[in-house]
Amino acid sequence: DTITCNAAVSACEKASEWAQALNLLAQMVASRIACDTITCSAAVSACEKGLRWAQALCLLAQMVVTRVEMNTITFNAALSACEKGDEWAQALALLDHMRSCRVELGTTTYNAAVSACGSGG
């Protein structure tokens, strides 16, 4: 079920196993197990730890399509992925998207965005 899969995806994230996290996510979809905010946030975070900013952003796009709610944790992980990938323009676009989604922007959010801009030159 979803709770068990969330634990598995979260374990992959903690072990920096981004590919396995995405594989589990795909298996959940194929098995028609609901993915929720926790599942997707853990997968985005796994991509961030694996330096896979593009995959993190793809997950955000999939969350929009599948109507999975995005929260501050989800966006902060994606912002951090952009920072690590020197993708400052993507980070700024995420800030705008957070505002349009009415997601709370906190200190961590702004710090990640500023770091992304700093790493981008």
Side-chain angles (χ1 to χ4, degrees):
D1 68 341
T2 302
I3 294 170
T4 303
C5 290
N6 285 353
V9 173
S10 185
C12 291
E13 177 253 328
K14 286 174 180 42
S16 299
E17 293 289 339
W18 66 272
Q20 187 61 30
L22 295 182
N23 187 35
L24 283 170
L25 207 60
Q27 288 178 16
M28 287 177 72
V29 171
S31 300
R32 297 185 183 196
I33 298 171
C35 295
D36 61 13
T37 304
I38 295 168
T39 317
C40 295
S41 293
V44 170
S45 186
C47 291
E48 175 258 327
K49 288 181 179 178
L51 307 177
R52 303 294 183 188
W53 65 270
Q55 285 87 345
L57 297 182
C58 284
L59 285 173
L60 288 183
Q62 288 176 352
M63 290 175 77
V64 171
V65 171
T66 58
R67 295 191 171 128
V68 174
E69 182 180 346
M70 293 177 273
N71 62 19
T72 304
I73 295 167
T74 314
F75 277 108
N76 285 351
L79 279 167
S80 185
C82 290
E83 171 197 350
K84 290 178 180 177
D86 294 332
E87 293 293 328
W88 62 271
Q90 294 290 344
L92 293 178
L94 279 176
L95 280 179
D96 283 341
H97 189 58
M98 287 180 79
R99 286 187 194 104
S100 70
C101 292
R102 300 185 190 268
V103 173
E104 182 179 343
L105 286 80
T107 304
T108 303
T109 307
Y110 288 115
N111 285 342
V114 167
S115 292
C117 291
S119 66

